[in-house]
Amino acid sequence: MISQPAVNRTYNPRQLALHSLLLVIGKGRSLDDALANILAKSPDLEGRDIALCREIANGVCRYYYVLKHLLKPRLRKAFKSKDLDLEIIVLIGMYQLLMMRVDDHAAVNESVKLTLRQKKSWAKGLVNGLLRQLIRDEVSIEALATDISYPDWISHKIRADWPDHSTEILQAGNQRAPMTLRVDLNQITREQQIERMREQGITADAHPLIESAIVLDKPCPVSKIEGFELGLVSVQDAAAQLAAELLDCKPGMQVLDACAAPGGKSAHILQTCEAVTLVAIDKDESRLALIEQNLHRIDQQAHLKCGNAIQPDDWHDGVLFDRILADVPCSASGVIRRHPDIKLLRRDDDIPNLVLQQRAILLALWPLLKPGGVMVYSTCSIFKDENEQQIAWFIDNHKNCTVNRLNSVQWGHKRPFGRQILPGQECMDGFYYAKIHKTMMKTD
Ligand SMILES: C[S@@+](CC[C@H](N)C(=O)[O-])C[C@H]1O[C@@H](n2cnc3c(N)ncnc32)[C@H](O)[C@@H]1O
């Protein structure tokens, strides 16, 4: 049995990182959930300790496959599954030695202390010996091929889909994502907001392509950003800010956000055109509360419904929509730099299931769109089967649609259908967008 965390105010950041990683690697929980859960049990932890815990937990996920690759030849035998905590302690030590500017002695000592805290004093020689061996071998992560930091299936799929861009995609996925804000341009100009933040000591630049986006030089807690509580700014990647622009809502329109939680794009839709009726649905009831909080902070309202986009009969009142946003569940392969735990949690065989779900969502939503209306399909994926191939299939099976060529936009790569932003391109997450128009024909 792996020792589970208990409430204990003497936890240190490395121990909290260990407990978070046990939830991710041992139980398949997302790192965001795991960290929220574990950090909530240590309310007295200081800001810099929280930052250290996050840095270690994210870093071990980001370099998990490289660290394991380096560790394997140095192990006489693999760790037993009941000693997953020990293996993670060694990976945490390795990450500090190889990627953080932690003094060698401190990295080894802290790892041995963690072993004792896990009540496995029998293993302190093992942990100490493995880390000292890595120091003696002068191992360097940078010298290793980027592919090694991904599970094989992800690097193969990226190489197959993007042969001319694969190296830059794999490298971008190992970078830290910038913190990007969306400015409510009805309340403040972007330049005013940048200036106000500069006065607070927070430096940032206007995004070169997205007029509402500001990219911070260094991430900082939202509570420190002037205007956040008042809804003047929200945290949202620049690529995600394109959905509202593509929908191009007009006053009086009926708009559906069909996979809406946590509500980032719903909020933006309402800020760009307040005088619409927005129905925001999500099938996960607990996540619906997040939409409510987000809209409350920016003082906007929508009709929130818990519902499955694939079964509109359960939630749709029969009124057709002028605009539909289908921001479908996907592999999230475009946001690995933001969520490095995806490397550990996502499996090859998840993809065909996701493709089927996305297809079912498209099929179910299409009849809800008025003739002359627009549906925007989006994913934070870079895999072609979830993106352009999905839309190719859709138009092959529907006569009453045309796909906008998006010729005039400056962002992303033009694809046979839609546009693809690759991770890191113009400071953006990897995103795919297609804009589908419903023609005036009567058949669906
Ligand atoms: C990519 S996230 C949406 C992000 C959101 N649009 C935003 O900008 O904040 C996908 C969401 O779809 C929801 N979802 C997944 N399958 C669904 C379905 N069949 N019907 C409705 N919602 C679904 C998930 O619960 C998740 O909240």
mmCIF file of all heavy atoms in Angstrom, residues 5 59 72 83 110 192 220 222 237 304 381:
data_model
loop_
_atom_site.group_PDB
_atom_site.id
_atom_site.type_symbol
_atom_site.label_atom_id
_atom_site.label_comp_id
_atom_site.label_asym_id
_atom_site.label_seq_id
_atom_site.Cartn_x
_atom_site.Cartn_y
_atom_site.Cartn_z
ATOM 1 N N PRO A 5 -1.476 10.793 1.836
ATOM 2 C CA PRO A 5 -1.292 12.006 2.615
ATOM 3 C C PRO A 5 -2.356 12.158 3.697
ATOM 4 O O PRO A 5 -3.503 11.787 3.492
ATOM 5 C CB PRO A 5 -1.445 13.112 1.582
ATOM 6 C CG PRO A 5 -2.113 12.483 0.412
ATOM 7 C CD PRO A 5 -1.771 11.053 0.438
ATOM 8 N N GLY A 59 7.228 20.075 -13.190
ATOM 9 C CA GLY A 59 8.496 19.712 -13.827
ATOM 10 C C GLY A 59 8.669 18.210 -13.923
ATOM 11 O O GLY A 59 9.126 17.686 -14.949
ATOM 12 N N LYS A 72 16.517 4.358 -15.319
ATOM 13 C CA LYS A 72 16.417 2.904 -15.576
ATOM 14 C C LYS A 72 17.773 2.181 -15.557
ATOM 15 O O LYS A 72 17.924 1.190 -14.817
ATOM 16 C CB LYS A 72 15.693 2.671 -16.908
ATOM 17 C CG LYS A 72 15.165 1.276 -17.052
ATOM 18 C CD LYS A 72 14.263 1.165 -18.252
ATOM 19 C CE LYS A 72 13.960 -0.304 -18.459
ATOM 20 N NZ LYS A 72 13.490 -0.584 -19.780
ATOM 21 N N ASP A 83 6.150 0.703 -3.826
ATOM 22 C CA ASP A 83 7.170 1.724 -3.548
ATOM 23 C C ASP A 83 7.164 2.838 -4.599
ATOM 24 O O ASP A 83 8.199 3.476 -4.849
ATOM 25 C CB ASP A 83 8.557 1.078 -3.461
ATOM 26 C CG ASP A 83 8.656 0.157 -2.244
ATOM 27 O OD1 ASP A 83 8.037 0.506 -1.213
ATOM 28 O OD2 ASP A 83 9.301 -0.899 -2.340
ATOM 29 N N GLU A 110 17.244 16.632 0.974
ATOM 30 C CA GLU A 110 15.774 16.768 1.039
ATOM 31 C C GLU A 110 15.095 15.479 0.576
ATOM 32 O O GLU A 110 14.045 15.108 1.096
ATOM 33 C CB GLU A 110 15.303 17.952 0.184
ATOM 34 C CG GLU A 110 15.688 19.325 0.730
ATOM 35 C CD GLU A 110 15.031 19.626 2.075
ATOM 36 O OE1 GLU A 110 13.930 19.106 2.334
ATOM 37 O OE2 GLU A 110 15.643 20.375 2.870
ATOM 38 N N GLN A 192 -4.234 50.965 -21.573
ATOM 39 C CA GLN A 192 -4.478 51.422 -20.183
ATOM 40 C C GLN A 192 -4.191 50.300 -19.191
ATOM 41 O O GLN A 192 -3.584 50.512 -18.146
ATOM 42 C CB GLN A 192 -5.935 51.890 -20.023
ATOM 43 C CG GLN A 192 -6.210 53.245 -20.619
ATOM 44 C CD GLN A 192 -7.723 53.518 -20.698
ATOM 45 O OE1 GLN A 192 -8.554 52.612 -20.733
ATOM 46 N NE2 GLN A 192 -8.076 54.800 -20.723
ATOM 47 N N CYS A 220 1.760 35.641 -12.572
ATOM 48 C CA CYS A 220 1.598 36.119 -11.190
ATOM 49 C C CYS A 220 0.183 35.779 -10.717
ATOM 50 O O CYS A 220 -0.702 35.546 -11.550
ATOM 51 C CB CYS A 220 1.898 37.605 -11.102
ATOM 52 S SG CYS A 220 0.601 38.639 -11.712
ATOM 53 N N VAL A 222 -3.583 35.941 -9.814
ATOM 54 C CA VAL A 222 -4.594 36.874 -10.340
ATOM 55 C C VAL A 222 -4.979 37.922 -9.302
ATOM 56 O O VAL A 222 -5.322 39.056 -9.652
ATOM 57 C CB VAL A 222 -5.878 36.162 -10.815
ATOM 58 C CG1 VAL A 222 -5.663 35.473 -12.126
ATOM 59 C CG2 VAL A 222 -6.429 35.214 -9.776
ATOM 60 N N ASP A 237 -5.842 32.109 -22.639
ATOM 61 C CA ASP A 237 -4.824 32.074 -23.680
ATOM 62 C C ASP A 237 -5.314 32.845 -24.917
ATOM 63 O O ASP A 237 -6.518 32.888 -25.200
ATOM 64 C CB ASP A 237 -4.515 30.619 -24.065
ATOM 65 C CG ASP A 237 -3.375 30.553 -25.055
ATOM 66 O OD1 ASP A 237 -2.226 30.737 -24.627
ATOM 67 O OD2 ASP A 237 -3.636 30.373 -26.267
ATOM 68 N N LEU A 304 -27.754 28.719 -17.919
ATOM 69 C CA LEU A 304 -26.855 27.589 -17.692
ATOM 70 C C LEU A 304 -27.660 26.307 -17.540
ATOM 71 O O LEU A 304 -28.645 26.277 -16.800
ATOM 72 C CB LEU A 304 -26.031 27.796 -16.413
ATOM 73 C CG LEU A 304 -25.204 29.066 -16.325
ATOM 74 C CD1 LEU A 304 -24.344 29.049 -15.063
ATOM 75 C CD2 LEU A 304 -24.326 29.226 -17.548
ATOM 76 N N SER A 381 -6.421 20.735 -29.637
ATOM 77 C CA SER A 381 -5.644 19.569 -30.098
ATOM 78 C C SER A 381 -4.851 19.942 -31.345
ATOM 79 O O SER A 381 -5.232 20.858 -32.083
ATOM 80 C CB SER A 381 -6.600 18.422 -30.422
ATOM 81 O OG SER A 381 -5.920 17.411 -31.141
#
